Amino acid sequence: VQLQASGGGLVQAGDSLRLSCAASGRTFSTHMSGWFRQAPGKEREFVAAISRSGISTNYADSVKGRFTISRNNAKNTVYLQMNSLKPEDTAVYYCAASFTIKVLETKDDEDDYNYWGQGTLVTVSS
């Protein structure tokens, strides 16, 4: 599976942005997916995850109520809708995926993901 993240950019605090992660290769619908981010000088952290079915989702506390992860398996794409953005959301955002037989499984540990996109930069100005 190859992943291509896009949609990053420079926005102001309070704005919205939608990231996309397009997958190619093997059947994407058999893979759970997640978004992680890495701010300057910090370790990469979990943002959101979605099961292969799209039914189950999981969010970091810092983004709950503001970010929404979704997927369209027909388009082999996972999305991250980010609303009410804050300067502390500034980071490089990475999408990740991993095969699973469990249709409701989500993971928040980056070690559970085998495939990674190249990252897309989100900058939120105050």
Side-chain angles (χ1 to χ4, degrees):
V1 174
Q2 292 82 42
L3 303 175
Q4 180 74 37
S6 62
L10 172 62
V11 297
Q12 293 186 331
D15 285 350
S16 297
L17 207 58
R18 188 176 81 158
L19 305 182
S20 298
C21 178
S24 60
R26 298 185 180 181
T27 306
F28 191 55
S29 60
T30 60
H31 290 66
M32 61 181 179
S33 300
W35 287 95
F36 293 77
R37 67 186 182 186
Q38 186 167 22
K42 295 187 177 181
E43 294 186 351
R44 189 157 58 186
E45 64 176 5
F46 169 74
V47 176
I50 189 166
S51 61
R52 55 179 272 182
S53 63
I55 295 175
S56 298
T57 58
N58 186 22
Y59 297 92
D61 288 342
S62 59
V63 306
K64 276 182 182 176
R66 299 188 299 122
F67 290 11
T68 302
I69 188 171
S70 62
R71 67 189 297 157
N72 184 331
N73 285 339
K75 294 184 176 181
N76 282 359
T77 303
V78 174
Y79 305 97
L80 185 67
Q81 178 66 43
M82 305 185 294
N83 298 330
S84 302
L85 282 162
K86 304 175 181 180
E88 51 263 44
D89 294 319
T90 295
V92 176
Y93 284 71
Y94 298 90
C95 60
S98 191
F99 172 81
T100 178
I101 62 173
K102 301 176 181 179
V103 296
L104 299 179
E105 183 175 38
T106 62
K107 293 287 187 181
D108 59 9
D109 188 335
E110 62 179 83
D111 291 337
D112 290 313
Y113 290 87
N114 302 120
Y115 305 101
W116 290 84
Q118 85 289 359
T120 184
L121 176 62
V122 173
T123 303
V124 184
S125 63
S126 57

